[in-house]
Amino acid sequence: MIILDTSAVRAVFRGHKTLNMLAGNMARTPGDRLIIPALCLMQAEADEENASRQALSYSSVVVDPLDTVASVSVGKMIRDGYGGPDTCHALYCALPRAEFTGMSILLTGQEDAYPPGVVTVDIDSPGMLGFY
């Protein structure tokens, strides 16, 4: 599962070439999807008008809702100092869950916002997605 945090959603809105290519390519592959935590989408829209519209224009994008279990877990993470609501929702989405198999990859522009053990990839790293 590939997760886009707030900084990645804002980058898509600003025309980040690699992220836009990734979203477009995934739209052509059945079953592939990019997950955007609802609180990351909310924060990106609060930061930049229409950021959510651009991200949601790709058919490969799915929003992870903040349901009851997620609300409690994210609230505990915030209280324990793991970051703000959007960061903690992205972190929650990256944790192992029954409905997703395999390893989650969190695409972000702020790798240092996440604790060790979370697989993060900087959206501006030279080797992201095989581009050098």
Side-chain angles (χ1 to χ4, degrees), residues 5 7 10 81-84 87-88 90-91 106-125:
D5 77 350
S7 61
R10 286 193 311 252
Y82 285 98
T87 300
C88 289
L91 181 57
L106 183 57
L107 299 181
T108 181
Q110 303 171 355
E111 285 185 293
D112 59 338
Y114 299 96
V118 177
V119 179
T120 58
V121 174
D122 188 323
I123 59 173
D124 293 318
S125 66

Side-chain angles (χ1 to χ4, degrees), residues 7-131:
S7 61
V9 173
R10 286 193 311 252
V12 168
F13 173 69
R14 292 179 187 151
H16 192 279
K17 182 180 177 181
T18 307
L19 287 177
N20 280 286
M21 279 193 344
L22 172 66
N25 288 339
M26 290 183 83
R28 289 187 285 264
T29 308
D32 281 350
R33 56 191 174 176
L34 294 170
I35 307 296
I36 300 176
L39 294 180
C40 292
L41 187 64
M42 179 229 28
Q43 187 61 54
E45 182 64 28
D47 294 343
E48 297 189 45
E49 185 178 0
N50 294 322
S52 60
R53 182 181 303 173
Q54 176 67 27
L56 295 174
S57 69
Y58 291 104
S59 62
S60 59
V61 169
V62 175
V63 176
D64 188 82
L66 190 67
D67 61 16
T68 305
V69 173
S71 297
V72 172
S73 299
V74 169
K76 287 179 181 180
M77 288 179 193
I78 295 167
R79 185 185 63 231
D80 292 343
Y82 285 98
D86 59 329
T87 300
C88 289
H89 194 190
L91 181 57
Y92 172 80
C93 288
L95 295 174
R97 298 183 346 193
E99 62 267 25
F100 299 113
T101 59
M103 181 184 300
S104 295
I105 299 170
L106 183 57
L107 299 181
T108 181
Q110 303 171 355
E111 285 185 293
D112 59 338
Y114 299 96
V118 177
V119 179
T120 58
V121 174
D122 188 323
I123 59 173
D124 293 318
S125 66
M128 188 180 120
L129 306 175
F131 295 102

